[in-house]
Amino acid sequence: MPDHTIGDTDRVELAPGEVPSDGRFANPDLLPVPVEARRWTTYNFTALWVGMAHNIPSWLLASGLVALGMDWKQAVFTIALANLIVLVPMLLTGHAGPKYGIPFPVLARASFGVRGANLAALIRAAVACAWFGIQTWIGGSGIFVLLGEIFGGWADAGQIAGQPWPLWLCFILFWVLELAIIYRGMEALRRFENWAAPFVIVGAFALLVWIGVKAGGFGELLDQPSKLGWGEDFWPVFFPSLMGMIAFWSTLSLNIPDFTRFGAGQRSQILGQTLGLPTTMTLFALLSVFVTSGSEAVYGAPIWDPVQLVAKADSVFGLLYGLVTVLVATISVNIAANVVSPAYDLANLAPRLINFRRGALITGVVGVLIMPWKLTSTPELYIFTWLGLVGGLLGTVAGILIADYWLVRRTRLSLPDLYREGGPYWYTGGWNFRALAAFLVGGVLAIGGSHSAPGQGPFPEEGLIPLLKPLANYGWAVGVASSFLLYTALMSREHPER
């Protein structure tokens, strides 16, 4: 058997025939990417993040924070800090990708067990399916609005289930287009992101220039003082908002190996992600604030939704350009962030029955059936409830993965044993009960205190577990820290592969 643990910086792969590609725990999509096929460069990873970060929900993040009482400087600061923080687990979990060529659910087998990894994978997949529904509805709605402006509106359109039928048609067509792109595989996604990223950047700056010219400068929004100040009223809003902003990309901090497994080396993924994620999200938040400020000067009220703003363009060319930009921006984030992961996760559940393409199709169907766009109806529900819960649970899984890969195993994995029973990752019947214990304790600590103001959410005002209510505002951090420490302690007597 070849040595699979030579040097932390070496790129490792399986010997031919070492693991059957149609075994109980493997299929061609789950097996390591061959070294010669790991060729994503720094630009590919940067473009991936630019394409994913430039989307309508991330544009609306700043507006959600301003609606909660922050001024624009506080909102941009919160978003920038959150993305610097979430970059750390992103890089730590991403390390296994270029080195071993494995996706997230296979990496999770080292800590949760060959079978237990399905728990972590299905949690991530469920979140992705919900996000897929949100993004697809937003994209379809954007197309509906802009086509309505081009063709003179849909005032006479009949309704189905309380919505105009053209809206449902736009939604379905957008859904089909997304799945058609991802069905062609990861190489097609790489090519799409390469040109989508600069296209969307140009579109965002074109919107800034257009509104700036119409406004003759920018409006009063930039001069509005914070309703919270920097004192005792600010911090109770800042910390849960910070956790919510971290949770926005906490999904990718788990499954980033799904992408870095195609990386040409560690330098490519580290530089690409560092250049792409925090810088792009901060820039996009600034663009959001400046464009909204200009809209207030032109129209007398701030227009935070870029689709509603583009709809006010006074030329068919402007509307068409805005339509294509919204289309590309939404597709680039949705197929990368919300289809790739569950496609692998579902393939991991039943490798012989589900491959990457079938997993993507299942994701598309489930994402529509969930219909979770109602979560964005208010900032409180979106930032505190949805993102807070997601961040707490996914932070708990991230803490376990990082502790296992970096502390317990010191980045050394036995690739063949990740795909078969009886090895060091089989634990007890395929489940590592130490990981399950760390997940349960960390999850309870992270989200057990979840609470809602009266009439503004699904939780009791005193919290699900009143004793844990003070921790609820720090869900992601509590989840990462508690599971990291507990898993490390429980595994302290285990011996990593040498």
Side-chain angles (χ1 to χ4, degrees), residues 358-375:
R358 289 174 184 166
L361 293 176
I362 293 172
T363 300
V365 173
V366 174
V368 172
L369 293 177
I370 290 176
M371 294 186 296
W373 49 84
K374 294 180 181 179
L375 292 169

Side-chain angles (χ1 to χ4, degrees), residues 54 59 201 204-205 208 282-292:
H54 284 171
W59 180 280
I201 289 177
F205 276 100
L208 177 65
T282 304
L283 174 63
F284 217 45
L286 282 169
L287 283 174
S288 170
V289 168
F290 290 144
V291 170
T292 304

Side-chain angles (χ1 to χ4, degrees), residues 36-54:
E36 66 271 14
R38 302 176 203 172
R39 52 177 181 261
W40 283 33
T41 64
T42 297
Y43 175 78
N44 293 139
F45 286 111
T46 303
L48 176 74
W49 273 113
V50 172
M52 288 197 296
H54 284 171

